Amino acid sequence: MSALQVLAPDGVPTLTSGVDVAAVIVPFLANLAWPDGSVGVRADDVVVISSKIVSKAEGRLARASEREPTINAESVRVVATRGYDDDRPPLRIVENRQGVVMAAAGVDASNTYPGTILLLPEDPDASARRIRRGLAARLGGVRPGVILTDSAGRPWRAGVTDFALGAAGIRVLADHRGEVDNAGRPLESTIVALADEIAAAADLLKGPTGGRPVAVVRGVADAVTHDDGPGARGLNRTGPEDLFALGTREAWELGRVRPLP
C-alpha cells in the first residue's frame, strides 16, 4: 500500500521585502505533526510554497496604477487577447519573461497589499534553490525538495490549478516511455508533469483563501533528488514544441493544421 500525505501549517505570517523565506517557515515545518507520530520534515518530503510570499520577500511589487505597463514589461509574446465581452473584463494571455504562458504575465493583485500588485519571482528556480539551501542550513542538513507554485488556467478546461513555477531537488518530469502498461502494451509518449501534480496536490490544503501559503507533501520520495536539478523552467512548452502558438487562420495558412478526412 502507498499513501500520499499533505500538511499545511496555519499561522505563517505575511512576508515583507528582504525577509528570509526559509528562516520564517522553518519553525512551522519543524513542528509539523504527522499521523505516524513523527514531527518535522524529512529529506524525502517536498516543501511547496506559494510564489506570492517569495515575490513579497524579493520585493517584486509595483503600484496597482502601473498594472498595464508592468504587464507589458513582463511579457515577451502576446498569445491571445479578449476585449470586453458581456460583463467580463478584458484578458491578455502572454508568454512572460519566466517562460510561462499565462494571463497578465502572472501579475496579480490578490493576496497583496492594498494599492499594489505582485510580479512573479525574477528567477523562480533560483529562488527555490536559495530557499532549499536555507532550509538545509536550519534543519540540520535535511534537504527536502522545494516547489514554488502559482495558479493558471488551461486551454479547453474551466478553472485554474496550481503548477510548479520553480523547483529545486525535484524530478519535475516522470518519463514512462519504454515501460509497459497494465495490459502489457508499451508506453510510447507518456511523460507525466510530476512537479505540477505535486503542486496541485498541495494546493488542496494551501488554496488561495486559507491563509496557508506553505504545505509539505510526503509520499513522493521518488521525485526528490539530492542535487537541485534543472528546475521547473523545462516544463514550459514554447517555441517549436508549442502546437498552439498560432491562431487557427495562421496555422492553416502555414500548413500546420489539416482538415479531418
Side-chain angles (χ1 to χ4, degrees), residues 50-68:
S50 169
S51 64
K52 282 185 170 58
I53 70 169
V54 178
S55 293
K56 292 175 183 177
E58 295 180 357
R60 295 280 289 163
L61 290 88
R63 294 186 181 92
S65 60
E66 299 173 350
R67 184 175 186 273
E68 289 305 313

Side-chain angles (χ1 to χ4, degrees), residues 7 23 31 47 52 84 94 121 123 153 202-203 208 219 241-242 245:
L7 293 181
N31 290 316
V47 179
K52 282 185 170 58
Y84 279 98
V94 304
D123 186 337
D203 194 53
E241 293 296 315
D242 183 2

